[in-house]
Amino acid sequence: MNKSEMRRVTFGAEPLTIEDVVALAEGRATPVLNPDPAFMARIQRGADFLDRLLAEEGVIYGVTTGYGDSVTRPVPTELVPELPLHLTRFHGCGLGADLELDAARAVLATRLCSLAQGVSGVSPALLERLCWLLEQDLVPRIPEEGSVGASGDLTPLSYVAAVLVGERELHQQGRLRPAAEVYQELGVTPLTLRPKEGLALMNGTSVMTALACLAYARTDYLMRLATRITALVSVAMGGNAFHFDERLFAAKPHPGMQGIAAWLREDLVAGELPRHSNRLQDRYSLRCAPHVIGVVADSLPWWRQLIENELNSANDNPLIDGEGEHVMHGGHFYGGHIAMAMDSMKAAVANLADLLDRQLAQLVDGKFNGGLPSNLSGAPEGRQMINHGFKAVQIGVSAWTAEALKQTMPASVFSRSTECHNQDKVSMGTIAARDALRVLTLTEQVAAACLLAAVQGVELRLARPTPFTRPLGTALATMVAQVRAEFAPLLEDRGLEPELRALIARIRQRHYPLYGPNRN
């Protein structure tokens, strides 16, 4: 998309949404700073106030003192300008895999949003340079490991600060290059960080919050996809659509759960069906699907509140009130709200994997699937004995589900005392967010496999109708057609890895239109 055609996300005006961050992360939006002169004047007042305090030899944490437990160590005036650079350098010890590019872009957007609140004591030039990096798609390489979630995401955010001063590496047009080399090539001078700017960049919750924004968008789509897959499996199994009756769900008024049941009624054209099926009561993975998926639906508003409040917060320390001229020492770098959101999200998402895994187990089993071929093999009768259909895929789904469930141990309860017992209670919010993304990846794998199997199951059922076989409504017929446009039926055994990977990518892109408006 041409940048002139992209929607703009303005920092320092209205609060940002999760969708704003996701659009920037995916390259579907371009960032701008609030053009109102009053905005930049407010930012400048905080920086000017810090300058006056320094001139008066005021004591400012992280400016004229060491960091953390080293707060008792005064920094001589002549060394104050060097202190921010030392902060960025000694935190350059991140390990593990690097954040994916969309996640690293989201980190830039989230940190810029926090600093644009106007109470961090940074200069307008710092905001402009962060915005420029995002706009030019110059993305810092950020290792994902090394944060305990308080004092914020110090180590991963040091990679953002380092790029600003021309150190470490950044991604440019698909290549990983030294930041200094890129700046020289572009004729750009690296920033010299002002006294508090290293701390303002690093001492906050922007990595965990960025990951939480991406996790939210993926969870919202998976919730819808799990509902659609459930409808397809219900058709393939000859399930009882009246398990989703509106009057039944009026008796248990969780609104999200009721919404899932309504989507299933819509997909299954439930009002047009007789009140019977192969079984009076389907097994729980069909009958209770709204109750499982509905937990996600009812939690999304709560997660949104926590994530967007954190996104639009000033979360470094100390905060600088340039208007009233106060330095406020506190602990807003603590990521407990994101930790709680991510710990609960990963459990809810893993339950989606478990639900779909159980649906697939029924669908491939000739003892339970109402007469469909074993393992959903599409081979002709004379070749069924050497074809195994989705047998290995079902084993893979079981493995991915087990791993997702194993990842649901809450990270937020594993607080560790660190940094000479100054950081003696920490949030582990970034680990929780990384766990949530891993659970989402595994669950997307499960969903891709189950979608392929459900489509094959529907086709096999329509080819072998029973008295309870229901016609496909428009939404399900469209979904089957969309999948089949790219993925052929499984007739003779073949390796499905390339197709599964392609379908997982489609899911990550939120490719298939589902219920309600697509929130991008």
Side-chain angles (χ1 to χ4, degrees):
M1 185 184 296
N2 189 292
K3 285 187 178 181
S4 64
E5 299 171 350
M6 291 182 184
R7 73 181 181 91
R8 295 188 169 196
V9 174
T10 302
F11 290 82
E14 298 298 318
L16 264 59
T17 65
I18 290 169
E19 288 73 26
D20 290 331
V21 173
V22 174
L24 288 165
E26 295 177 351
R28 295 182 288 103
T30 189
V32 294
L33 291 175
N34 185 352
D36 185 349
F39 166 69
M40 281 301 185
R42 184 180 182 219
I43 300 297
Q44 188 64 54
R45 276 194 292 274
D48 291 344
F49 171 52
L50 274 180
D51 286 345
R52 288 197 301 276
L53 279 182
L54 277 174
E56 297 164 4
E57 297 187 4
V59 177
I60 308 168
Y61 166 71
V63 176
T64 59
T65 74
Y67 298 113
D69 186 64
S70 301
V71 65
T72 58
R73 190 165 62 198
V75 175
T77 303
E78 65 273 14
L79 295 181
V80 164
E82 295 184 52
L83 188 61
L85 195 57
H86 279 259
L87 180 68
T88 67
R89 286 174 174 168
F90 81 77
H91 275 288
C93 55
L95 292 178
D98 294 338
L99 292 182
E100 294 182 6
L101 281 177
D102 62 344
R105 292 189 195 102
V107 170
L108 286 177
T110 305
R111 197 72 210 131
L112 178 55
C113 185
S114 179
L115 298 180
Q117 302 306 307
V119 287
S120 296
V122 301
S123 64
L126 178 60
L127 301 188
E128 290 166 351
R129 184 58 60 88
L130 277 172
C131 191
W132 176 78
L133 286 176
L134 196 53
E135 193 268 336
Q136 294 294 315
D137 201 29
L138 298 173
V139 185
R141 182 185 72 84
I142 306 175
E144 66 179 11
E145 295 177 5
S147 173
V148 294
S151 190
D153 290 315
L154 290 166
T155 288
L157 285 174
S158 78
Y159 287 78
V160 174
V163 160
L164 288 169
V165 300
E167 298 186 356
R168 299 186 205 164
E169 298 163 305
L170 54 75
H171 297 271
Q172 182 195 39
Q173 298 177 351
R175 295 171 58 201
L176 188 61
R177 303 182 61 193
E181 181 181 294
V182 173
Y183 282 0
Q184 184 176 19
E185 189 176 283
L186 295 176
V188 173
T189 302
L191 278 182
T192 298
L193 296 179
R194 289 168 48 82
K196 184 184 175 284
E197 288 185 338
L199 193 60
L201 282 163
M202 294 167 49
N203 187 209
T205 59
S206 294
V207 174
M208 68 180 81
T209 305
L211 300 184
C213 289
L214 300 180
Y216 182 98
R218 290 168 68 179
T219 298
D220 181 71
Y221 189 76
L222 262 179
M223 170 196 71
R224 298 163 193 268
L225 183 59
T227 306
R228 177 59 49 80
I229 292 170
T230 296
L232 291 166
V233 172
S234 183
V235 172
M237 292 286 295
N240 186 346
F242 285 91
H243 290 321
F244 314 125
D245 186 81
E246 185 173 9
R247 291 161 297 183
L248 173 66
F249 278 85
K252 188 167 183 176
H254 295 293
M257 182 181 73
Q258 290 175 323
I260 300 299
W263 285 344
L264 288 168
R265 289 195 301 274
E266 179 184 319
D267 274 356
L268 298 173
V269 201
E272 300 176 11
L273 296 174
R275 295 173 182 269
H276 55 74
S277 67
N278 289 328
R279 289 170 59 94
L280 181 62
Q281 293 192 153
D282 292 334
R283 293 176 178 85
Y284 286 12
S285 61
L286 285 179
R287 193 189 342 160
C288 299
H291 307 74
V292 177
I293 306 171
V295 172
V296 177
D298 280 307
S299 298
L300 282 167
W302 169 60
W303 293 331
R304 177 182 289 277
Q305 179 188 21
L306 295 183
I307 294 167
E308 290 186 343
N309 277 347
E310 194 73 32
L311 169 64
N312 292 287
S313 72
N315 43 68
D316 57 296
N317 174 60
L319 295 184
I320 306 301
D321 174 13
E323 309 272 347
E325 299 194 342
H326 296 103
V327 177
M328 301 173 288
H329 295 89
H332 287 353
F333 47 69
Y334 191 89
H337 288 80
I338 296 296
M340 183 57 67
M342 293 297 96
D343 274 347
S344 59
M345 184 182 288
K346 68 190 184 189
V349 170
N351 267 294
L352 297 183
D354 199 30
L355 178 77
L356 297 176
D357 172 55
R358 296 299 82 212
Q359 291 178 1
L360 181 60
Q362 287 190 63
L363 199 53
V364 300
D365 195 328
K367 298 187 294 295
F368 304 118
N369 65 14
L372 295 177
S374 178
N375 295 305
L376 300 178
S377 172
E381 187 172 341
R383 296 184 61 78
Q384 291 246 341
M385 61 287 297
I386 64 168
N387 278 283
H388 297 81
F390 284 84
K391 180 187 283 286
V393 171
Q394 192 271 326
I395 296 170
V397 165
S398 183
W400 305 326
T401 299
E403 187 173 346
L405 294 168
K406 184 177 75 70
Q407 293 279 344
T408 59
M409 175 72 76
S412 55
V413 300
F414 284 94
S415 175
R416 311 291 298 156
S417 183
T418 187
E419 205 258 309
C420 302
H421 298 291
N422 176 56
Q423 299 177 13
D424 59 348
K425 175 68 176 127
V426 295
S427 75
M428 298 299 183
T430 312
I431 295 174
R434 288 173 40 229
D435 284 349
L437 290 177
R438 178 60 181 157
V439 169
L440 278 158
T441 294
L442 291 162
T443 305
E444 287 160 351
Q445 293 173 191
V446 170
C450 290
L451 179 56
L452 282 183
V455 167
Q456 177 122 337
V458 165
E459 292 173 332
L460 291 171
R461 175 61 67 204
L462 294 178
R464 298 166 174 78
T466 73
F468 312 110
T469 300
R470 63 177 64 99
L472 285 190
T474 301
L476 294 191
T478 300
M479 189 76 180
V480 169
Q482 288 175 324
V483 171
R484 280 290 171 252
E486 295 185 277
F487 306 100
L490 184 57
L491 305 178
E492 292 284 325
D493 287 344
R494 65 178 186 266
L496 287 176
E497 179 193 345
E499 292 161 81
L500 288 170
R501 290 189 182 277
L503 185 50
I504 291 163
R506 288 301 201 195
I507 292 169
R508 284 285 299 270
Q509 295 158 357
R510 303 184 294 284
H511 174 71
Y512 301 105
L514 296 171
Y515 316 93
N518 282 337
R519 303 196 66 164
N520 285 320

